[in-house]
Amino acid sequence: MTDTSLDVLAIGNAIVDVIATADESFLEAEGLTKGGMQLIDAERAETLYSRMRSGREISGGSAANTLAGAAALGARCAFIGQVADDQLGAVFTHDMRAHGVRFDTPARPGEPPTGRVLILVTPCGERTMNTLLGASHYLPMESLDEELVRGSSILYLEGYLWDPEQPRAVMRRAIEVARAAGRKVAMTLSVNFIIELHRADLQSLIDDGLIDILFVNEEELLCLTQVEDRESALALVTSKVPLLVMTMGPDGAMAVKDGERFTVTAEPVERVVDTTGAGDLFAAGFLAGHAQGRSIEECLRIGAIAAAEVISHYGARPEADLKALVAAKLG
């Protein structure tokens, strides 16, 4: 096994978030389900954008958000994802590099444009996401730097990107390279509809022992296992995955490592402003702690601290000094 130059290499959607406030009557008028996520085409994206209030444009994407947080905590990170050769693609590239994340994937010329998510945040802090995937789903095999995979302690895969065939092939090859090099493979299942579309495929990854660290929330765990009881679902998955990390919203989070269970309460937040990216930043904190060789309890605490920071403001990227927050709480 060779030495590693990176802590985490992620493959995921390269997307820019457009975030605006909205009341529930607006969601109802637009036929949107509060707290949901739906895929939209370019025409619908243009229409909805024209009706939204003025918003903020912030680079996003689940795995990219996780890397931004992990890098802020001191982890050495790189990202593979596809943008278009357009203004939002340039914004995304600049933002990733500004966060200290290596991002070398060449921009794709022509259509479709760089992906974006139109995020409507209601007064309670809940976010409703409308996603135009755009160029992010045209990630070619040529984008995979296999030496970068071999040189990364953890390969982190975004479930959202498992849907399209082309990026899925890239991630399958990355898994092969990572495992041949003795690296760990981590995956976040992202959302229920991806699990429903690809349950057999995802389950086979787990059954074949290809996933070392699995990130889920409680709904995703139940969707994956198709059982209604959380304990039964945990037993089914943890018997095959060495490390399961499950977020439970305001109830905190848990991890199960080799059959041993660890739990953490949610960090207190004065006011929940926007829950966008809470799970992404929890994974960031956990992975950064893991890269530092911290205990599972500490990794969970760092994840909770990072998640609490990101839900205290708009956007899915950290704004406060995460290192200082962790040092103040954990020493």
Side-chain angles (χ1 to χ4, degrees):
M1 184 184 297
T2 59
D3 292 335
T4 57
S5 58
L6 291 171
D7 296 312
V8 185
L9 168 66
I11 303 176
N13 282 312
I15 288 177
V16 175
D17 293 339
V18 181
I19 306 171
T21 58
D23 53 35
E24 295 191 17
S25 62
F26 179 83
L27 300 185
E28 184 177 351
E30 293 296 324
L32 303 175
T33 302
K34 179 181 173 182
M37 197 289 284
Q38 65 174 342
L39 300 178
I40 57 176
D41 58 22
E43 182 179 357
R44 173 59 173 155
E46 183 176 340
T47 300
L48 184 58
Y49 181 76
S50 70
R51 296 172 181 169
M52 293 169 58
R53 296 172 181 167
S54 178
R56 299 171 60 191
E57 294 181 351
I58 307 168
S59 293
S62 175
N65 292 337
T66 294
L67 289 190
L73 287 162
R76 303 164 300 169
C77 301
F79 180 71
I80 295 174
Q82 189 66 65
V83 297
D85 186 12
D86 56 20
Q87 182 180 357
L88 287 183
V91 168
F92 181 92
T93 300
H94 174 270
D95 284 357
M96 291 301 289
R97 293 173 179 171
H99 276 95
V101 176
R102 178 175 171 179
F103 178 49
D104 301 328
T105 310
R108 186 177 188 272
E111 295 294 327
T114 296
R116 73 283 315 267
V117 183
L118 307 181
I119 302 174
L120 300 163
V121 185
T122 44
C124 65
E126 188 66 80
R127 81 281 188 273
T128 302
M129 301 190 294
N130 305 272
T131 304
L132 172 65
L133 297 166
S136 66
H137 275 200
Y138 291 84
L139 184 70
M141 189 63 73
E142 295 76 29
S143 68
L144 184 64
D145 183 337
E146 296 190 2
E147 285 305 309
L148 207 58
V149 177
R150 295 184 186 98
S152 303
S153 295
I154 298 173
L155 171 68
Y156 182 71
L157 305 175
E158 179 185 321
Y160 284 120
L161 204 57
W162 196 259
D163 189 38
E165 183 177 354
Q166 196 172 8
R168 185 166 65 249
V170 174
M171 290 194 284
R172 283 193 179 280
R173 176 57 185 162
I175 292 172
E176 292 176 0
V177 175
R179 298 206 68 84
R183 307 308 180 201
K184 291 183 178 178
V185 177
M187 187 172 196
T188 174
L189 294 186
S190 297
V191 70
N192 280 3
F193 83 82
I194 292 293
I195 299 170
E196 290 166 354
L197 286 171
H198 300 281
R199 183 180 287 108
D201 208 14
L202 295 170
Q203 192 66 62
S204 70
L205 292 178
I206 294 170
D207 292 344
D208 293 343
L210 299 179
I211 305 299
D212 300 292
I213 308 171
L214 183 66
F215 289 90
V216 296
N217 63 31
E218 189 169 350
E219 286 186 2
E220 291 160 3
L221 178 70
L222 298 177
C223 181
L224 175 69
T225 58
Q226 294 182 285
V227 299
E228 297 181 359
D229 174 61
R230 185 178 76 180
E231 292 302 315
S232 298
L234 283 169
L236 286 171
V237 176
T238 57
S239 63
K240 300 171 183 176
V241 175
L243 177 54
L244 174 76
V245 182
M246 183 172 72
T247 56
M248 301 179 291
D251 294 326
M254 74 164 62
V256 183
K257 177 176 172 56
D258 298 325
E260 185 176 0
R261 187 174 302 193
F262 308 85
T263 60
V264 65
T265 58
E267 287 289 310
V269 179
E270 185 174 336
R271 186 170 77 93
V272 175
V273 175
D274 175 14
T275 57
T276 307
D280 302 337
L281 267 292
F282 187 93
F286 191 95
L287 289 171
H290 190 75
Q292 295 163 7
R294 292 180 179 259
S295 68
I296 296 297
E297 294 96 329
E298 287 180 313
C299 292
L300 288 170
R301 282 291 309 280
I302 297 170
I305 292 166
E309 190 281 333
V310 83
I311 66 175
S312 67
H313 58 76
Y314 287 114
R317 301 286 173 91
E319 294 183 355
D321 186 334
L322 292 183
K323 279 187 178 179
L325 288 175
V326 171
K329 291 177 179 288
L330 296 185

